[in-house]
């Protein structure tokens, strides 16, 4: 089992106003100290944008690169998402990493609302996802699509559209899928062949239900503690690990516990939960 980290577990997020943003030096050092061997890049601009400098920062921290979460706007008629994607893939060439985690972005900041697409916009989005995935493959990168709350691929029906009408592999984000109404364990049982990457999360079902019902925004639910260390929530992680192991999944397991920080943490801070999650995930694989 290859286990990596993600800066969001330390509260580092691309959403404006999300919360206090820790510096890369602290986050990368704590990743390595806790026993993680690699990391996703985090939001654009958090690590140096120049590919060679990004590579140096990761090498100095003793971490390998997994790849990056990249929001792409694929449903708008006069917008081509390929140039911006290519710029991000340039960083892969220098810093390493071979996993592209696309999200079908709405074009607006944040994840608390999303538009309803027309049939034509859906067609354009799905065609673009296949086009971007094929382009990434041509550059030696493994593409995946991340169903994500507040994006255009969030709900069970959205995920079904992607499975039925594209060939794009999925990033199995066990938390976002559950919040969006898809049972991640059932998705693995029915479509294990489409899983190309894993974001291992655990969530409280009671708060997820309030997001689904519109009683809480996604951001407020995160602030209220919807994400918890692995094993403390309601995701069926034992079944997911067992089923993916059975089919020979050999990709990354990226630990993610979406966190909002009010300021510089007292004491250990977020790394304490990361340590617990890492121990739990390894116990499931033993």
């Amino acid at each position: 089992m290859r286990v990596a980290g993600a800066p969001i577990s330390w509260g580092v997020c691309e959403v404006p106003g999300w919360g206090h943003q820790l510096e890369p030096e602290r986050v990368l050092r704590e990743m390595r100290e806790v026993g993680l061997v690699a990391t996703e890049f985090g939001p654009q601009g958090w690590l140096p944008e120049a590919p060679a400098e990004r590579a140096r920062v990761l090498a100095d921290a003793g971490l390998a690169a997994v790849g990056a979460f990249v929001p792409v706007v694929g449903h708008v008629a006069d917008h081509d998402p390929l140039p911006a994607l290519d710029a991000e893939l340039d960083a892969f060439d220098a810093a390493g990493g071979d996993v592209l985690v696309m999200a079908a972005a709405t074009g607006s900041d944040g994840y608390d609302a999303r538009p309803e697409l027309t049939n034509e916009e859906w067609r354009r989005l799905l065609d673009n996802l296949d086009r971007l995935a094929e382009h990434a493959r041509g550059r030696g990168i493994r593409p995946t699509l991340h169903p994500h709350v507040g994006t255009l691929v969030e709900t069970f029906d959205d995920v079904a559209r992607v499975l039925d009408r594209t060939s794009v592999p999925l990033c199995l984000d066990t938390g976002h899928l559950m919040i969006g109404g898809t049972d991640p364990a059932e998705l693995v049982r029915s479509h294990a062949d489409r899983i190309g990457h894993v974001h291992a999360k655990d969530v409280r079902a009671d708060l997820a239900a309030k997001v689904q019902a519109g009683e809480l925004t996604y951001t407020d639910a995160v602030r209220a503690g919807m994400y918890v260390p692995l094993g403390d929530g309601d995701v069926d992680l034992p079944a997911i690990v067992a089923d993916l192991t059975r089919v020979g999944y050999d990709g990354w397991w990226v630990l993610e516990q979406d966190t909002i920080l009010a300021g510089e943490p007292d004491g250990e801070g977020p790394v304490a939960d990361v340590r617990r999650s890492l121990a739990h995930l390894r116990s499931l694989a033993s």
Side-chain angles (χ1 to χ4, degrees):
M1 177 178 278
R2 297 190 298 160
V3 186
I8 189 63
S9 296
W10 279 260
V12 178
C13 183
E14 71 278 4
V15 177
W18 179 261
H20 179 70
Q21 302 292 287
L22 294 176
E23 293 298 319
E25 187 280 330
R26 173 175 179 165
V27 174
L28 299 179
R29 171 176 50 79
E30 291 184 349
M31 283 185 184
R32 186 62 184 168
E33 288 174 352
V34 83
L36 299 172
V37 298
T39 182
E40 290 190 358
F41 291 147
Q44 283 73 21
W46 182 67
L47 291 177
E49 294 188 11
E53 179 66 8
R54 188 183 301 190
R56 185 193 64 77
V57 168
L58 291 179
D60 288 350
L63 292 169
V66 172
F69 173 83
V70 181
V72 297
V73 177
H75 65 291
V76 177
D78 60 354
H79 173 74
D80 184 359
L82 186 57
L85 178 67
D86 248 349
E88 184 61 33
L89 294 182
D90 288 343
F92 286 50
D93 292 339
D98 64 354
V99 181
L100 169 65
V101 183
M102 296 184 290
T106 64
S108 300
D109 290 332
Y111 299 116
D112 291 337
R114 66 177 200 151
E116 291 294 327
L117 298 190
T118 65
N119 287 336
E120 176 60 21
E121 287 172 327
W122 267 113
R123 183 200 61 76
R124 187 177 298 116
L125 171 61
L126 297 173
D127 287 349
N128 269 323
L129 290 176
D130 267 336
R131 181 172 70 99
L132 295 174
E134 187 59 30
H135 181 78
R137 291 187 189 100
R139 293 194 57 171
I141 303 298
R142 294 185 293 150
T144 64
L145 175 70
H146 186 330
H148 192 294
V149 174
T151 70
L152 300 175
V153 180
E154 171 184 349
T155 68
F156 178 85
D157 288 343
D158 300 337
V159 174
R161 280 185 194 249
V162 171
L163 291 170
D164 291 343
R165 295 171 55 186
T166 79
S167 61
V168 183
L170 294 182
C171 169
L172 183 85
D173 187 297
T174 58
H176 278 280
L177 284 163
M178 183 173 175
I179 299 162
T182 299
D183 180 344
E186 178 56 37
L187 182 62
V188 171
R189 283 190 290 269
S190 60
H191 290 89
D193 61 319
R194 291 291 293 271
I195 307 304
H197 191 53
V198 176
H199 284 175
K201 286 183 166 80
D202 212 344
V203 299
R204 287 175 48 186
D206 59 334
L207 290 176
K210 290 184 177 182
V211 175
Q212 293 171 10
E215 298 173 16
L216 275 179
T217 67
Y218 177 75
T219 304
D220 286 343
V222 175
R223 190 174 287 111
M226 179 168 58
Y227 291 102
V228 293
L230 299 187
D232 288 2
D234 297 293
V235 173
D236 191 355
L237 287 162
I240 290 167
V241 171
D243 286 343
L244 284 178
T245 301
R246 177 177 50 79
V247 300
Y249 173 77
D250 61 356
W252 287 101
W253 296 80
V254 179
L255 295 179
E256 286 197 337
Q257 183 180 334
D258 294 28
T259 300
I260 296 175
L261 298 179
E264 201 70 16
D266 295 327
E268 277 198 299
V271 72
D273 281 356
V274 176
R275 185 181 295 108
R276 288 181 57 201
S277 290
L278 178 59
H280 183 74
L281 185 60
R282 285 177 170 164
S283 75
L284 297 178
S286 60

